Amino acid sequence: MTSKLATLNAWVQEVAALTQPSHIHWCDGSAEENASLTQLMLDRGDLIALNADTHPDCYLHRSHPSDVARVEHLTFVCTKHQEDAGPNNNWMHPTEAHAEIDALFAGCMKGRTLYVIPYCMGPIDSPIARCGVEITDSPYVVANMRLMTRMGSAALARIERESQFVRGLHSTGDLDPTRRFIMHFPEELTIKSIGSGYGGNALLGKKCHALRIGSWQARKEGWLAEHMLIVGIENPQGETHYVAAAFPSACGKTNLAMLIPPDGYRQAGWKVWTVGDDICWMSPGDDGRLWAINPEAGYFGVAPGTGAKTNANALAMLNREAIFTNVAVTADQQPWWEGLDDRVPAKDWKGNDFVPGNGPAAHPNSRFTVSARRCPSYTERAEDARGVPISAIVFGGRRESLVPLVFESRDWTHGVLVGASMASETTAAATGAVGVVRRDSMAMKPFCGYNFGDYFAHWLSFDKPGAKLPKIFHVNWFRKGADGKFLWPGFGDNLRVLEWMLKRCEDRADAVETPIGHLPKKADLNVEGLRISDHALDQLLQIDEQGWAHEFEAITEYLDEFGGRTPPALRAEAARIAALLLQRNDQAA
Ligand code: GTP
Ligand code: SPV
Ligand code: MN
């Protein structure tokens, strides 16, 4: 097969000449194609069938033990000028980068099949959606892309109509970490990735296209490509408000997107609808509001911690047609991970006999891949070509101290500062140390395809006459008490915080003004049916003005890292709050 699009055929031929595959397969996305690829992977041992009674059509993939997470130190943004990539990205000149990575691609598909994957990020008929083609030699990537994107014939038809697509070239190579690179060429709408088969490094539609290249396109075209979940909150009156929330990797997006309301809320008629759990593309509509689509069609979620009490919706979608990566298995071949239940697994994520006390059975970044339609809280609005209107934007991170449960920004400029100055403890989603607090603006540190200074300016630019922008909030579900335990119950109970935010959006709740923003009055947070001490609530809603003054010193330094690219309005906003804090501390002294 070939395509009607000459530029696409030419690119496939060019790649084949470089990589020298023995076969070329154009993916149509059909069930038959998926069945034959699954069989191939079972035969090769790339997939292991799970218990067909409890988990029909579910498979386990064990990746190479050195290839289990994103590799930020090997991820590059290759613009002609280093300033355009910014200090937030690793940079290499495009000429040098192409030469270095093409040398690794030379002959790398010998004896392998080259798969051509046409895909669409977003509903196939949405003007906000964008298409790409990924070339890969990994059938595991094909199977995952089929769940994660609109992949195959329909996407190819749109690509041929538009004659435009993002090019992604991927090979698992030899999995040697010294020959692994994830390179982005935003000026050429091109991605090249070699040496890893793991999610964000290999499923190029996700972080590489939808965020790094997407953010570049979004800036040029006047929209936003963000690391955000999209969730619809339906109140007992039947009105649904959509919320977009940016938390860094493994900081709670999937869980918030699928939350199950606490008993009292459920009985009162509250419902939650999942539109997306990781990526959000937002564009201003004719009405001045921001309209959002989820460019993805499936979930690539963190397995550990997913249990009946924390995320029953996720559990319910994982009992058929799911791919599990690096989880443990029970003696009867059911998938298992820490936080699922009390059973003891038989094999750990590497396939060795599980030895209690010898580290976790499932890899901390083990994942599931499943179609969004399998989620009990799925809504057809996820297919709406216009997207959904966003009422509130939420930023959040993992902070064991200082940062309160929730606060609201005063206006858009302050909200952009709140997003820009976010920080969070690192997690197992990327290789490297875990639990280290770092700045992660808008949860986009690993994903913004250009200079953060320009990105902040782009965010500020949405505040113009006629715009009806969402309110911006900040949350922290991860504050710890003196005993080292989380102060806030989290998960479903996070709806209590969302309710306050939505009331604020409708001018139906009060707030306490503080230098860092507006906080709920203790009485305005519904804690009915919750076992939380008054002392814990006080801690969650308290502002340590001295601690915040230090935080603002660090934020000011951070904003300076982007030099002349940092918008003056953002510096001014930070200076205003820093001055306010100093003044209050002086008064207190
Ligand atoms: P990525 O897919 O990496 O982008 O992650 P994510 O942001 O979707 O994170 P996810 O929802 O998968 O949560 C990651 C981990 O945090 C899981 O182990 C969850 O159980 C845990 N978690 C999520 N929400 C909460 C919460 O409200 N409180 C606490 N204590 N833990 C949470
Ligand atoms: C993340 O790390 O933020 C993820 C998983 O959502 S990955 O697809 O690897 O990016
Ligand atoms: Mn993510």
Side-chain angles (χ1 to χ4, degrees), residues 207 227 247-256 277-278 300-302 304-306 310 367 398 429 477-478 486 489-491 494:
K207 296 304 178 13
H227 191 202
F247 309 152
S249 302
C251 290
K253 289 182 301 301
T254 303
N255 279 268
L256 192 69
D277 84 326
D278 198 51
F300 183 64
V302 177
T306 307
T310 57
R367 300 254 167 184
R398 230 175 234 277
W477 315 139
F478 300 97
F486 293 121
F491 302 103
N494 293 333

PDB file of all heavy atoms in Angstrom, residues 207 227 247-256 277-278 300-302 304-306 310 367 398 429 477-478 486 489-491 494, ligand 1:
ATOM      1  N   LYS A 207       3.506  12.740  24.311  1.00  0.00           N
ATOM      2  CA  LYS A 207       4.240  13.893  24.800  1.00  0.00           C
ATOM      3  C   LYS A 207       5.003  14.591  23.665  1.00  0.00           C
ATOM      4  O   LYS A 207       5.084  15.819  23.627  1.00  0.00           O
ATOM      5  CB  LYS A 207       5.196  13.488  25.920  1.00  0.00           C
ATOM      6  CG  LYS A 207       4.464  12.948  27.175  1.00  0.00           C
ATOM      7  CD  LYS A 207       3.491  13.948  27.650  1.00  0.00           C
ATOM      8  CE  LYS A 207       2.620  13.626  28.851  1.00  0.00           C
ATOM      9  NZ  LYS A 207       2.807  12.554  29.758  1.00  0.00           N
ATOM     10  N   HIS A 227      -0.375  19.988  29.642  1.00  0.00           N
ATOM     11  CA  HIS A 227      -0.312  18.705  30.357  1.00  0.00           C
ATOM     12  C   HIS A 227      -1.422  18.694  31.399  1.00  0.00           C
ATOM     13  O   HIS A 227      -1.160  18.821  32.605  1.00  0.00           O
ATOM     14  CB  HIS A 227       1.073  18.571  31.013  1.00  0.00           C
ATOM     15  CG  HIS A 227       1.387  17.209  31.563  1.00  0.00           C
ATOM     16  ND1 HIS A 227       2.336  17.007  32.531  1.00  0.00           N
ATOM     17  CD2 HIS A 227       0.903  15.991  31.279  1.00  0.00           C
ATOM     18  CE1 HIS A 227       2.407  15.718  32.825  1.00  0.00           C
ATOM     19  NE2 HIS A 227       1.533  15.079  32.071  1.00  0.00           N
ATOM     20  N   PHE A 247      -1.172  18.828  36.672  1.00  0.00           N
ATOM     21  CA  PHE A 247      -0.307  18.326  37.748  1.00  0.00           C
ATOM     22  C   PHE A 247       0.853  17.604  37.059  1.00  0.00           C
ATOM     23  O   PHE A 247       0.637  16.932  36.049  1.00  0.00           O
ATOM     24  CB  PHE A 247      -1.025  17.310  38.649  1.00  0.00           C
ATOM     25  CG  PHE A 247      -2.357  17.748  39.196  1.00  0.00           C
ATOM     26  CD1 PHE A 247      -3.324  16.799  39.498  1.00  0.00           C
ATOM     27  CD2 PHE A 247      -2.651  19.086  39.429  1.00  0.00           C
ATOM     28  CE1 PHE A 247      -4.571  17.174  40.006  1.00  0.00           C
ATOM     29  CE2 PHE A 247      -3.892  19.470  39.937  1.00  0.00           C
ATOM     30  CZ  PHE A 247      -4.849  18.513  40.221  1.00  0.00           C
ATOM     31  N   PRO A 248       2.054  17.675  37.623  1.00  0.00           N
ATOM     32  CA  PRO A 248       3.184  16.958  37.010  1.00  0.00           C
ATOM     33  C   PRO A 248       2.922  15.451  36.935  1.00  0.00           C
ATOM     34  O   PRO A 248       1.972  14.945  37.539  1.00  0.00           O
ATOM     35  CB  PRO A 248       4.348  17.280  37.946  1.00  0.00           C
ATOM     36  CG  PRO A 248       3.966  18.575  38.588  1.00  0.00           C
ATOM     37  CD  PRO A 248       2.479  18.497  38.761  1.00  0.00           C
ATOM     38  N   SER A 249       3.790  14.756  36.218  1.00  0.00           N
ATOM     39  CA  SER A 249       3.650  13.315  36.015  1.00  0.00           C
ATOM     40  C   SER A 249       3.523  12.593  37.359  1.00  0.00           C
ATOM     41  O   SER A 249       4.271  12.887  38.300  1.00  0.00           O
ATOM     42  CB  SER A 249       4.860  12.791  35.259  1.00  0.00           C
ATOM     43  OG  SER A 249       4.975  13.478  34.033  1.00  0.00           O
ATOM     44  N   ALA A 250       2.592  11.652  37.399  1.00  0.00           N
ATOM     45  CA  ALA A 250       2.324  10.853  38.601  1.00  0.00           C
ATOM     46  C   ALA A 250       1.946  11.715  39.814  1.00  0.00           C
ATOM     47  O   ALA A 250       2.328  11.431  40.940  1.00  0.00           O
ATOM     48  CB  ALA A 250       3.509   9.935  38.922  1.00  0.00           C
ATOM     49  N   CYS A 251       1.205  12.805  39.569  1.00  0.00           N
ATOM     50  CA  CYS A 251       0.737  13.655  40.663  1.00  0.00           C
ATOM     51  C   CYS A 251      -0.780  13.774  40.711  1.00  0.00           C
ATOM     52  O   CYS A 251      -1.320  14.710  41.311  1.00  0.00           O
ATOM     53  CB  CYS A 251       1.385  15.028  40.571  1.00  0.00           C
ATOM     54  SG  CYS A 251       3.136  14.997  40.963  1.00  0.00           S
ATOM     55  N   GLY A 252      -1.483  12.854  40.051  1.00  0.00           N
ATOM     56  CA  GLY A 252      -2.918  12.767  40.314  1.00  0.00           C
ATOM     57  C   GLY A 252      -3.886  13.173  39.214  1.00  0.00           C
ATOM     58  O   GLY A 252      -5.080  13.313  39.496  1.00  0.00           O
ATOM     59  N   LYS A 253      -3.429  13.345  37.962  1.00  0.00           N
ATOM     60  CA  LYS A 253      -4.369  13.737  36.898  1.00  0.00           C
ATOM     61  C   LYS A 253      -5.399  12.643  36.606  1.00  0.00           C
ATOM     62  O   LYS A 253      -6.599  12.913  36.575  1.00  0.00           O
ATOM     63  CB  LYS A 253      -3.616  14.105  35.605  1.00  0.00           C
ATOM     64  CG  LYS A 253      -2.852  15.411  35.687  1.00  0.00           C
ATOM     65  CD  LYS A 253      -2.162  15.761  34.392  1.00  0.00           C
ATOM     66  CE  LYS A 253      -1.166  14.716  33.934  1.00  0.00           C
ATOM     67  NZ  LYS A 253      -0.082  14.447  34.899  1.00  0.00           N
ATOM     68  N   THR A 254      -4.921  11.407  36.373  1.00  0.00           N
ATOM     69  CA  THR A 254      -5.858  10.329  36.053  1.00  0.00           C
ATOM     70  C   THR A 254      -6.877  10.176  37.174  1.00  0.00           C
ATOM     71  O   THR A 254      -8.071  10.016  36.942  1.00  0.00           O
ATOM     72  CB  THR A 254      -5.096   9.001  35.844  1.00  0.00           C
ATOM     73  OG1 THR A 254      -4.126   9.202  34.804  1.00  0.00           O
ATOM     74  CG2 THR A 254      -6.033   7.874  35.441  1.00  0.00           C
ATOM     75  N   ASN A 255      -6.389  10.240  38.411  1.00  0.00           N
ATOM     76  CA  ASN A 255      -7.290  10.064  39.555  1.00  0.00           C
ATOM     77  C   ASN A 255      -8.331  11.174  39.649  1.00  0.00           C
ATOM     78  O   ASN A 255      -9.507  10.900  39.885  1.00  0.00           O
ATOM     79  CB  ASN A 255      -6.483   9.964  40.856  1.00  0.00           C
ATOM     80  CG  ASN A 255      -5.924   8.572  41.044  1.00  0.00           C
ATOM     81  OD1 ASN A 255      -6.552   7.729  41.669  1.00  0.00           O
ATOM     82  ND2 ASN A 255      -4.757   8.298  40.472  1.00  0.00           N
ATOM     83  N   LEU A 256      -7.929  12.423  39.439  1.00  0.00           N
ATOM     84  CA  LEU A 256      -8.911  13.504  39.531  1.00  0.00           C
ATOM     85  C   LEU A 256      -9.903  13.423  38.364  1.00  0.00           C
ATOM     86  O   LEU A 256     -11.092  13.705  38.524  1.00  0.00           O
ATOM     87  CB  LEU A 256      -8.214  14.875  39.544  1.00  0.00           C
ATOM     88  CG  LEU A 256      -9.137  16.032  39.924  1.00  0.00           C
ATOM     89  CD1 LEU A 256      -9.547  15.952  41.388  1.00  0.00           C
ATOM     90  CD2 LEU A 256      -8.485  17.387  39.653  1.00  0.00           C
ATOM     91  N   ASP A 277      -7.286  12.616  30.590  1.00  0.00           N
ATOM     92  CA  ASP A 277      -6.539  12.427  31.844  1.00  0.00           C
ATOM     93  C   ASP A 277      -5.094  12.897  31.779  1.00  0.00           C
ATOM     94  O   ASP A 277      -4.360  12.766  32.747  1.00  0.00           O
ATOM     95  CB  ASP A 277      -6.573  10.953  32.276  1.00  0.00           C
ATOM     96  CG  ASP A 277      -5.491  10.125  31.595  1.00  0.00           C
ATOM     97  OD1 ASP A 277      -5.174  10.425  30.420  1.00  0.00           O
ATOM     98  OD2 ASP A 277      -4.962   9.203  32.221  1.00  0.00           O
ATOM     99  N   ASP A 278      -4.657  13.450  30.617  1.00  0.00           N
ATOM    100  CA  ASP A 278      -3.226  13.798  30.543  1.00  0.00           C
ATOM    101  C   ASP A 278      -2.935  15.040  29.707  1.00  0.00           C
ATOM    102  O   ASP A 278      -2.046  15.798  30.039  1.00  0.00           O
ATOM    103  CB  ASP A 278      -2.430  12.610  30.003  1.00  0.00           C
ATOM    104  CG  ASP A 278      -0.933  12.693  30.284  1.00  0.00           C
ATOM    105  OD1 ASP A 278      -0.563  12.915  31.448  1.00  0.00           O
ATOM    106  OD2 ASP A 278      -0.139  12.554  29.339  1.00  0.00           O
ATOM    107  N   PHE A 300      -2.955   6.073  29.326  1.00  0.00           N
ATOM    108  CA  PHE A 300      -1.706   5.386  29.635  1.00  0.00           C
ATOM    109  C   PHE A 300      -1.421   5.762  31.084  1.00  0.00           C
ATOM    110  O   PHE A 300      -0.728   6.734  31.356  1.00  0.00           O
ATOM    111  CB  PHE A 300      -0.614   5.859  28.673  1.00  0.00           C
ATOM    112  CG  PHE A 300       0.713   5.169  28.850  1.00  0.00           C
ATOM    113  CD1 PHE A 300       0.855   3.813  28.629  1.00  0.00           C
ATOM    114  CD2 PHE A 300       1.846   5.899  29.235  1.00  0.00           C
ATOM    115  CE1 PHE A 300       2.088   3.185  28.793  1.00  0.00           C
ATOM    116  CE2 PHE A 300       3.078   5.277  29.397  1.00  0.00           C
ATOM    117  CZ  PHE A 300       3.195   3.924  29.170  1.00  0.00           C
ATOM    118  N   GLY A 301      -2.030   5.007  31.998  1.00  0.00           N
ATOM    119  CA  GLY A 301      -2.070   5.447  33.391  1.00  0.00           C
ATOM    120  C   GLY A 301      -1.105   4.708  34.297  1.00  0.00           C
ATOM    121  O   GLY A 301      -0.667   3.589  34.020  1.00  0.00           O
ATOM    122  N   VAL A 302      -0.799   5.351  35.436  1.00  0.00           N
ATOM    123  CA  VAL A 302       0.054   4.758  36.471  1.00  0.00           C
ATOM    124  C   VAL A 302      -0.733   3.647  37.179  1.00  0.00           C
ATOM    125  O   VAL A 302      -1.827   3.890  37.676  1.00  0.00           O
ATOM    126  CB  VAL A 302       0.443   5.828  37.519  1.00  0.00           C
ATOM    127  CG1 VAL A 302       1.271   5.223  38.643  1.00  0.00           C
ATOM    128  CG2 VAL A 302       1.182   6.988  36.867  1.00  0.00           C
ATOM    129  N   PRO A 304       0.423   1.534  40.028  1.00  0.00           N
ATOM    130  CA  PRO A 304       0.499   1.505  41.491  1.00  0.00           C
ATOM    131  C   PRO A 304      -0.392   2.568  42.137  1.00  0.00           C
ATOM    132  O   PRO A 304      -0.470   3.691  41.663  1.00  0.00           O
ATOM    133  CB  PRO A 304       1.976   1.765  41.785  1.00  0.00           C
ATOM    134  CG  PRO A 304       2.681   1.258  40.568  1.00  0.00           C
ATOM    135  CD  PRO A 304       1.777   1.601  39.423  1.00  0.00           C
ATOM    136  N   GLY A 305      -1.064   2.166  43.198  1.00  0.00           N
ATOM    137  CA  GLY A 305      -1.959   3.088  43.889  1.00  0.00           C
ATOM    138  C   GLY A 305      -3.382   3.029  43.358  1.00  0.00           C
ATOM    139  O   GLY A 305      -4.283   3.598  43.964  1.00  0.00           O
ATOM    140  N   THR A 306      -3.590   2.356  42.214  1.00  0.00           N
ATOM    141  CA  THR A 306      -4.939   2.254  41.659  1.00  0.00           C
ATOM    142  C   THR A 306      -5.670   1.107  42.356  1.00  0.00           C
ATOM    143  O   THR A 306      -5.326  -0.064  42.160  1.00  0.00           O
ATOM    144  CB  THR A 306      -4.881   1.986  40.138  1.00  0.00           C
ATOM    145  OG1 THR A 306      -4.051   2.977  39.530  1.00  0.00           O
ATOM    146  CG2 THR A 306      -6.277   2.032  39.531  1.00  0.00           C
ATOM    147  N   THR A 310      -9.341   4.053  45.881  1.00  0.00           N
ATOM    148  CA  THR A 310      -8.774   5.267  45.302  1.00  0.00           C
ATOM    149  C   THR A 310      -9.376   5.594  43.946  1.00  0.00           C
ATOM    150  O   THR A 310      -9.786   6.721  43.703  1.00  0.00           O
ATOM    151  CB  THR A 310      -7.245   5.133  45.149  1.00  0.00           C
ATOM    152  OG1 THR A 310      -6.960   3.981  44.334  1.00  0.00           O
ATOM    153  CG2 THR A 310      -6.575   4.997  46.497  1.00  0.00           C
ATOM    154  N   ARG A 367       2.449   0.735  34.120  1.00  0.00           N
ATOM    155  CA  ARG A 367       1.342   1.460  33.487  1.00  0.00           C
ATOM    156  C   ARG A 367       0.310   0.519  32.873  1.00  0.00           C
ATOM    157  O   ARG A 367       0.605  -0.645  32.580  1.00  0.00           O
ATOM    158  CB  ARG A 367       1.898   2.346  32.367  1.00  0.00           C
ATOM    159  CG  ARG A 367       2.906   3.391  32.831  1.00  0.00           C
ATOM    160  CD  ARG A 367       2.318   4.768  32.826  1.00  0.00           C
ATOM    161  NE  ARG A 367       3.148   5.732  33.548  1.00  0.00           N
ATOM    162  CZ  ARG A 367       2.776   6.998  33.724  1.00  0.00           C
ATOM    163  NH1 ARG A 367       1.644   7.449  33.236  1.00  0.00           N
ATOM    164  NH2 ARG A 367       3.544   7.824  34.418  1.00  0.00           N
ATOM    165  N   ARG A 398       3.049  18.172  44.105  1.00  0.00           N
ATOM    166  CA  ARG A 398       3.283  17.330  45.277  1.00  0.00           C
ATOM    167  C   ARG A 398       4.186  18.106  46.207  1.00  0.00           C
ATOM    168  O   ARG A 398       5.393  18.203  45.968  1.00  0.00           O
ATOM    169  CB  ARG A 398       4.041  16.092  44.782  1.00  0.00           C
ATOM    170  CG  ARG A 398       3.521  14.770  45.176  1.00  0.00           C
ATOM    171  CD  ARG A 398       4.334  13.688  44.489  1.00  0.00           C
ATOM    172  NE  ARG A 398       3.462  12.801  43.757  1.00  0.00           N
ATOM    173  CZ  ARG A 398       2.801  11.785  44.295  1.00  0.00           C
ATOM    174  NH1 ARG A 398       2.973  11.481  45.571  1.00  0.00           N
ATOM    175  NH2 ARG A 398       2.002  11.054  43.565  1.00  0.00           N
ATOM    176  N   ALA A 429       7.966   8.662  37.126  1.00  0.00           N
ATOM    177  CA  ALA A 429       7.569   8.740  35.712  1.00  0.00           C
ATOM    178  C   ALA A 429       8.748   9.077  34.811  1.00  0.00           C
ATOM    179  O   ALA A 429       8.705   8.832  33.611  1.00  0.00           O
ATOM    180  CB  ALA A 429       6.448   9.755  35.525  1.00  0.00           C
ATOM    181  N   TRP A 477      -2.745  18.212  47.123  1.00  0.00           N
ATOM    182  CA  TRP A 477      -3.357  17.087  47.863  1.00  0.00           C
ATOM    183  C   TRP A 477      -2.319  16.391  48.755  1.00  0.00           C
ATOM    184  O   TRP A 477      -2.641  15.441  49.445  1.00  0.00           O
ATOM    185  CB  TRP A 477      -3.911  16.019  46.912  1.00  0.00           C
ATOM    186  CG  TRP A 477      -4.716  16.411  45.716  1.00  0.00           C
ATOM    187  CD1 TRP A 477      -4.621  15.857  44.470  1.00  0.00           C
ATOM    188  CD2 TRP A 477      -5.792  17.359  45.617  1.00  0.00           C
ATOM    189  NE1 TRP A 477      -5.548  16.409  43.606  1.00  0.00           N
ATOM    190  CE2 TRP A 477      -6.269  17.334  44.285  1.00  0.00           C
ATOM    191  CE3 TRP A 477      -6.383  18.243  46.524  1.00  0.00           C
ATOM    192  CZ2 TRP A 477      -7.318  18.147  43.843  1.00  0.00           C
ATOM    193  CZ3 TRP A 477      -7.423  19.060  46.076  1.00  0.00           C
ATOM    194  CH2 TRP A 477      -7.873  18.997  44.758  1.00  0.00           C
ATOM    195  N   PHE A 478      -1.069  16.812  48.672  1.00  0.00           N
ATOM    196  CA  PHE A 478       0.031  15.998  49.207  1.00  0.00           C
ATOM    197  C   PHE A 478       0.727  16.605  50.423  1.00  0.00           C
ATOM    198  O   PHE A 478       1.839  16.222  50.776  1.00  0.00           O
ATOM    199  CB  PHE A 478       1.051  15.715  48.093  1.00  0.00           C
ATOM    200  CG  PHE A 478       0.443  14.972  46.922  1.00  0.00           C
ATOM    201  CD1 PHE A 478       0.001  15.642  45.792  1.00  0.00           C
ATOM    202  CD2 PHE A 478       0.297  13.594  46.966  1.00  0.00           C
ATOM    203  CE1 PHE A 478      -0.572  14.955  44.722  1.00  0.00           C
ATOM    204  CE2 PHE A 478      -0.264  12.894  45.906  1.00  0.00           C
ATOM    205  CZ  PHE A 478      -0.710  13.576  44.775  1.00  0.00           C
ATOM    206  N   PHE A 486      -0.251  11.986  54.907  1.00  0.00           N
ATOM    207  CA  PHE A 486      -0.994  13.015  54.177  1.00  0.00           C
ATOM    208  C   PHE A 486      -2.099  13.586  55.070  1.00  0.00           C
ATOM    209  O   PHE A 486      -2.826  12.847  55.733  1.00  0.00           O
ATOM    210  CB  PHE A 486      -1.626  12.439  52.903  1.00  0.00           C
ATOM    211  CG  PHE A 486      -0.610  12.037  51.869  1.00  0.00           C
ATOM    212  CD1 PHE A 486      -0.547  10.721  51.405  1.00  0.00           C
ATOM    213  CD2 PHE A 486       0.282  12.968  51.342  1.00  0.00           C
ATOM    214  CE1 PHE A 486       0.389  10.348  50.451  1.00  0.00           C
ATOM    215  CE2 PHE A 486       1.225  12.603  50.385  1.00  0.00           C
ATOM    216  CZ  PHE A 486       1.278  11.279  49.941  1.00  0.00           C
ATOM    217  N   PRO A 489      -7.453  13.600  52.795  1.00  0.00           N
ATOM    218  CA  PRO A 489      -7.739  12.241  52.326  1.00  0.00           C
ATOM    219  C   PRO A 489      -7.577  12.059  50.811  1.00  0.00           C
ATOM    220  O   PRO A 489      -7.277  10.953  50.345  1.00  0.00           O
ATOM    221  CB  PRO A 489      -9.189  12.016  52.761  1.00  0.00           C
ATOM    222  CG  PRO A 489      -9.762  13.374  52.989  1.00  0.00           C
ATOM    223  CD  PRO A 489      -8.630  14.232  53.430  1.00  0.00           C
ATOM    224  N   GLY A 490      -7.774  13.114  50.051  1.00  0.00           N
ATOM    225  CA  GLY A 490      -7.535  13.033  48.606  1.00  0.00           C
ATOM    226  C   GLY A 490      -8.566  12.237  47.833  1.00  0.00           C
ATOM    227  O   GLY A 490      -9.677  11.984  48.320  1.00  0.00           O
ATOM    228  N   PHE A 491      -8.193  11.854  46.629  1.00  0.00           N
ATOM    229  CA  PHE A 491      -9.024  11.033  45.730  1.00  0.00           C
ATOM    230  C   PHE A 491     -10.449  11.596  45.623  1.00  0.00           C
ATOM    231  O   PHE A 491     -10.608  12.773  45.342  1.00  0.00           O
ATOM    232  CB  PHE A 491      -8.977   9.568  46.165  1.00  0.00           C
ATOM    233  CG  PHE A 491      -7.557   9.046  46.182  1.00  0.00           C
ATOM    234  CD1 PHE A 491      -6.856   8.882  47.388  1.00  0.00           C
ATOM    235  CD2 PHE A 491      -6.893   8.762  44.989  1.00  0.00           C
ATOM    236  CE1 PHE A 491      -5.533   8.437  47.387  1.00  0.00           C
ATOM    237  CE2 PHE A 491      -5.570   8.314  44.991  1.00  0.00           C
ATOM    238  CZ  PHE A 491      -4.900   8.146  46.187  1.00  0.00           C
ATOM    239  N   ASN A 494     -11.490  14.967  46.894  1.00  0.00           N
ATOM    240  CA  ASN A 494     -11.041  16.194  46.230  1.00  0.00           C
ATOM    241  C   ASN A 494     -12.218  16.957  45.615  1.00  0.00           C
ATOM    242  O   ASN A 494     -12.112  18.143  45.324  1.00  0.00           O
ATOM    243  CB  ASN A 494      -9.986  15.872  45.159  1.00  0.00           C
ATOM    244  CG  ASN A 494      -8.699  15.352  45.796  1.00  0.00           C
ATOM    245  OD1 ASN A 494      -8.402  15.674  46.946  1.00  0.00           O
ATOM    246  ND2 ASN A 494      -7.942  14.548  45.061  1.00  0.00           N
TER     247      ASN A 494
HETATM  248  P1  GTP B   1       0.961  10.743  34.604  1.00  0.00           P
HETATM  249  O1  GTP B   1       0.192   9.703  33.869  1.00  0.00           O
HETATM  250  O2  GTP B   1       2.359  10.340  34.881  1.00  0.00           O
HETATM  251  O3  GTP B   1       0.908  12.075  33.947  1.00  0.00           O
HETATM  252  O4  GTP B   1       0.339  10.828  36.097  1.00  0.00           O
HETATM  253  P2  GTP B   1      -1.019  11.426  36.715  1.00  0.00           P
HETATM  254  O5  GTP B   1      -0.842  12.874  36.983  1.00  0.00           O
HETATM  255  O6  GTP B   1      -2.182  11.022  35.896  1.00  0.00           O
HETATM  256  O7  GTP B   1      -1.073  10.722  38.145  1.00  0.00           O
HETATM  257  P3  GTP B   1      -2.064   9.594  38.716  1.00  0.00           P
HETATM  258  O8  GTP B   1      -3.481  10.075  38.790  1.00  0.00           O
HETATM  259  O9  GTP B   1      -1.832   8.334  37.967  1.00  0.00           O
HETATM  260  O10 GTP B   1      -1.534   9.448  40.198  1.00  0.00           O
HETATM  261  C1  GTP B   1      -0.205   9.074  40.488  1.00  0.00           C
HETATM  262  C2  GTP B   1      -0.110   8.533  41.883  1.00  0.00           C
HETATM  263  O11 GTP B   1      -0.580   9.486  42.835  1.00  0.00           O
HETATM  264  C3  GTP B   1      -0.950   7.269  42.078  1.00  0.00           C
HETATM  265  O12 GTP B   1      -0.209   6.329  42.813  1.00  0.00           O
HETATM  266  C4  GTP B   1      -2.132   7.755  42.856  1.00  0.00           C
HETATM  267  O13 GTP B   1      -2.677   6.750  43.686  1.00  0.00           O
HETATM  268  C5  GTP B   1      -1.594   8.933  43.663  1.00  0.00           C
HETATM  269  N1  GTP B   1      -2.647   9.958  43.902  1.00  0.00           N
HETATM  270  C6  GTP B   1      -3.501  10.477  42.990  1.00  0.00           C
HETATM  271  N2  GTP B   1      -4.375  11.347  43.557  1.00  0.00           N
HETATM  272  C7  GTP B   1      -4.073  11.395  44.873  1.00  0.00           C
HETATM  273  C8  GTP B   1      -4.611  12.127  45.998  1.00  0.00           C
HETATM  274  O14 GTP B   1      -5.561  12.906  45.886  1.00  0.00           O
HETATM  275  N3  GTP B   1      -4.006  11.911  47.203  1.00  0.00           N
HETATM  276  C9  GTP B   1      -2.946  11.052  47.348  1.00  0.00           C
HETATM  277  N4  GTP B   1      -2.429  10.909  48.554  1.00  0.00           N
HETATM  278  N5  GTP B   1      -2.417  10.346  46.315  1.00  0.00           N
HETATM  279  C10 GTP B   1      -2.960  10.518  45.101  1.00  0.00           C
END
